[in-house]
Amino acid sequence: MHSAEELSKVLKVLADPTRLTMLKQMQDGEQCACSFVDCFDISQPAISRHLKMMRQAGLLLERRDKQWIHYRLNETSPFYSIVVELLNRVETLEASCDCDAECAI
Amino acid sequence: MHSAEELSKVLKVLADPTRLTMLKQMQDGEQCACSFVDCFDISQPAISRHLKMMRQAGLLLERRDKQWIHYRLNETSPFYSIVVELLNRVETLEASCDCDAECAI
DNA sequence: AGGTTATATAACGGTTTTGTTATACAATAG
DNA sequence: CTATTGTATAACAAAACCGTTATATAACCT
């Protein structure tokens, strides 16, 4: 149970097609930040800020591996179940762009 | 099943504490527009625009009764189940401000 | 150390959001 | 018809959003 204030803050984070798509990809498992840079037609700093926003909302966890940072859904977030419910209603992506193997921007 | 674009548009509409609270009130049944004006500390035009936004997103239906317009959740919206799932996670309001009896702004 | 790769931050600009006040429109009431 | 009540729209301002480019930081590799 959340206040309208709390929930609306999280919904604002979710209410963006790029972030929704990023989250959807993370439903399949951890994603390297660089894979998002590959997937979307926006700059690396834009990707970085989307990730920061989701991290600050508590929706993401990160794991550093050498120079790469891998992001995954935070299953312990009080909003995790909402995120999953919403993502389950989002169509899967046409192009799967997984560059975790090489991670070369 | 929706595209990330579609869903994010609806989430933008839901991602506001005033609108979430208005929707929550409509879960208890039809609400006169004037009751919202009473309930919230924002101007009547602001309320009107919130209602318009939700109407345009297909989330609301309206019924005119004399000079009063009553709004209710559109149960046939493709997003209705999402709305309900989200509203069920929103705390019920402390003050119930139902002014349907008199409707005097 | 010096170069390369991955990520984050800063500074800026255009667009969107959300409120305001003033005004218009619609329906009722006298 | 005129006044009142309920609702919507117009015009504006402050703040937030989301992109950009330039730059900084962090880690790796020779």
Side-chain angles (χ1 to χ4, degrees):
Chain A
M1 223 52 165
H2 312 284
S3 73
E5 302 279 345
E6 274 179 325
L7 182 58
S8 69
K9 275 184 195 161
V10 171
L11 291 178
K12 264 197 220 324
V13 173
L14 298 173
D16 176 273
T18 301
R19 289 192 291 271
L20 269 186
T21 306
M22 293 169 82
L23 288 165
K24 182 84 181 170
Q25 291 180 224
M26 285 183 267
Q27 244 191 334
D28 297 335
E30 221 176 35
Q31 292 286 325
C32 176
C34 66
S35 78
F36 295 126
V37 174
D38 255 20
C39 280
F40 297 93
D41 262 358
I42 58 177
S43 63
Q44 176 269 322
I47 294 290
S48 183
R49 277 210 331 209
H50 281 305
L51 287 168
K52 182 178 185 178
M53 197 176 306
M54 294 189 279
R55 207 179 340 112
Q56 287 185 332
L59 302 181
L60 297 188
L61 296 176
E62 60 179 87
R63 176 180 68 84
R64 173 146 231 153
D65 173 30
K66 299 181 183 169
Q67 64 234 238
W68 298 286
I69 300 184
H70 298 263
Y71 287 93
R72 65 182 187 279
L73 299 184
N74 178 9
E75 303 187 2
T76 70
S77 159
F79 298 99
Y80 177 68
S81 59
I82 289 178
V83 170
V84 169
E85 272 170 15
L86 291 172
L87 292 181
N88 286 344
R89 298 170 182 273
V90 175
E91 288 161 359
T92 47
L93 314 158
E94 50 303 327
S96 88
C97 23
D98 188 311
C99 76
D100 273 357
E102 305 208 13
C103 265
I105 281 187
Chain B
M1 220 54 163
H2 313 284
S3 71
E5 303 280 346
E6 273 180 328
L7 183 57
S8 68
K9 274 183 196 164
V10 173
L11 290 179
K12 265 199 223 318
V13 174
L14 298 173
D16 176 273
T18 300
R19 289 192 292 271
L20 269 186
T21 306
M22 293 168 83
L23 289 164
K24 182 83 183 171
Q25 289 179 226
M26 286 183 266
Q27 243 191 334
D28 296 335
E30 220 176 35
Q31 292 286 326
C32 176
C34 66
S35 77
F36 296 125
V37 175
D38 256 19
C39 280
F40 297 93
D41 261 357
I42 58 178
S43 63
Q44 176 269 323
I47 293 290
S48 183
R49 277 208 333 203
H50 281 305
L51 287 167
K52 182 180 186 177
M53 198 176 307
M54 294 190 279
R55 207 180 339 113
Q56 286 185 332
L59 302 181
L60 297 188
L61 295 176
E62 60 179 87
R63 176 181 68 83
R64 171 146 232 153
D65 173 32
K66 300 181 182 171
Q67 65 237 238
W68 299 285
I69 301 184
H70 297 262
Y71 287 93
R72 64 181 187 280
L73 299 184
N74 178 7
E75 303 186 3
T76 70
S77 159
F79 298 99
Y80 177 68
S81 58
I82 289 178
V83 170
V84 170
E85 272 171 15
L86 290 173
L87 292 181
N88 286 344
R89 298 170 182 274
V90 176
E91 288 160 0
T92 47
L93 314 158
E94 49 304 325
S96 89
C97 23
D98 188 309
C99 74
D100 272 358
E102 305 208 12
C103 265
I105 280 190

